[in-house]
C-alpha cells in the first residue's frame, strides 16, 4: 500500500463548518455542541452531566472514547447505529487497532490535538469490512471536559454512514479497518494546528 500526505481541507469555526456536513447526525452534534458552548460562555462542555438531548438525532451514532497517551483511544460507549453497522460492540476496544500501523502516528496526533488545544474535526473515512465492501463514513469529533485522573481526555464522536450501501444484518460483516480520506479542522475558540497533515492512501 502506498501512502501520501494531505493537509486539512478546511479551517474554520463550527458555524462556518456547518454547510460541509453531509449527515444529519454529525450536523446535529455540531449544532448542539455549539449551543452548549455558547451557553457556557465558550467553555468546553463537561462529560459528566452532558445534556445529550441537545442533539437527539445524533444519539444512535454517538461514540465516546477515552484517550490515554501515547497509544490508547478506548471506546467507552457506542450508539446502536454504529454497533449494527460494524457488526460488534466496540466498548473496551482500542480504536487504534483498526488503524493501519503506517497511519498510527497521524491518527494519534489528530486525537491528541482535539484534547490538547482543544479543537474539533470533521472527517471523511473509508471503512473496510469483512464482506469485502468499503463504506463511507462521516465523523465529527469534539472534546469533553473531565477531571478523571485515569485518562488524558475524552472525545465524543458522531459516526455516521454517508454511503448509500443497502443495510445488512450484523452477522454479514465486521469492521476490519479505517482510513481517513479528508479532514476539516474546526476552531472552538482556541485555534487549530494548521501544520497538521494526514497520511492517506495514494490514488
Amino acid at each position: 500500500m502506498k501512502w501520501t500526505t494531505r493537509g486539512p481541507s478546511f479551517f474554520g469555526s463550527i458555524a462556518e463548518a456547518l454547510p460541509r456536513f453531509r449527515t444529519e447526525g454529525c450536523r446535529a452534534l455540531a449544532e448542539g455542541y455549539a449551543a452548549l458552548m455558547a451557553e457556557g460562555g465558550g467553555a468546553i462542555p463537561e462529560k459528566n452531566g452532558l445534556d445529550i438531548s441537545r442533539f437527539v438525532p445524533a444519539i444512535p451514532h454517538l461514540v465516546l472514547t477515552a484517550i490515554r497517551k501515547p497509544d490508547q483511544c478506548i471506546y467507552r460507549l457506542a450508539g446502536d447505529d454504529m454497533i449494527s453497522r460494524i457488526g460488534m460492540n466496540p466498548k473496551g476496544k482500542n480504536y487504534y487497532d483498526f488503524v493501519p500501523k503506517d497511519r498510527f502516528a497521524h491518527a494519534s496526533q489528530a486525537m491528541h490535538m482535539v484534547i490538547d488545544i482543544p479543537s474539533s474535526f470533521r472527517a471523511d473515512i473509508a471503512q473496510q469490512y469483512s464482506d469485502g465492501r468499503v463504506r463511507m463514513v462521516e465523523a465529527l469529533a469534539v472534546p469533553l471536559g473531565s477531571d478523571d485522573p485515569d485518562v488524558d481526555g475524552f472525545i465524543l464522536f458522531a459516526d455516521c454512514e454517508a454511503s448509500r450501501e443497502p443495510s445488512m444484518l450484523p452477522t454479514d460483516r465486521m469492521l476490519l479497518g479505517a482510513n481517513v480520506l479528508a479532514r476539516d479542522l474546526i476552531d472552538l475558540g482556541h485555534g487549530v494546528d494548521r501544520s497538521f497533515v494526514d497520511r492517506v492512501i495514494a490514488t
Side-chain angles (χ1 to χ4, degrees), residues 14 32 41 56 60 62 73-74 79 110 116 122 132 150 160 170 177:
I14 286 185
V56 171
L62 292 182
C73 178
I74 305 299
D116 288 344
R122 188 202 71 86
D150 296 326
C160 306

Side-chain angles (χ1 to χ4, degrees), residues 19-100:
R20 301 180 63 81
F21 288 102
R22 296 183 291 126
T23 60
E24 181 184 18
C26 286
R27 186 177 300 107
L29 177 58
E31 292 173 341
Y33 187 88
L36 289 173
M37 283 194 66
E39 293 168 10
I44 299 300
E46 293 289 317
K47 177 178 73 70
N48 293 336
L50 182 69
D51 182 8
I52 63 173
S53 69
R54 305 303 297 269
F55 32 83
V56 171
I59 291 175
H61 312 282
L62 292 182
V63 177
L64 178 66
T65 62
I67 308 300
R68 297 188 184 98
K69 298 176 182 178
D71 58 1
Q72 294 188 47
C73 178
I74 305 299
Y75 289 99
R76 286 289 183 89
L77 62 83
D80 291 342
D81 183 85
M82 180 184 180
I83 291 172
S84 176
R85 184 178 76 243
I86 70 175
M88 64 177 173
N89 187 339
K91 183 177 179 180
K93 295 185 182 296
N94 189 349
Y95 165 75
Y96 298 137
D97 290 342
F98 300 102
V99 174

Side-chain angles (χ1 to χ4, degrees), residues 115-152:
I115 63 173
D116 288 344
I117 291 180
S119 61
S120 172
F121 66 73
R122 188 202 71 86
D124 295 316
I125 302 170
Q127 293 184 338
Q128 295 83 37
Y129 286 82
S130 58
D131 62 5
R133 299 192 186 197
V134 174
R135 284 173 170 75
M136 298 305 302
V137 172
E138 179 180 56
L140 170 65
V142 294
L144 296 178
S146 172
D147 57 3
D148 188 327
D150 296 326
V151 301
D152 292 304

Side-chain angles (χ1 to χ4, degrees), residues 1-6 179-181 199-203:
M1 186 178 297
K2 294 184 178 180
W3 300 92
T4 187
T5 55
R6 178 177 298 158
N179 283 304
V180 171
L181 303 180
R199 195 169 201 192
V200 300
I201 297 173
T203 55

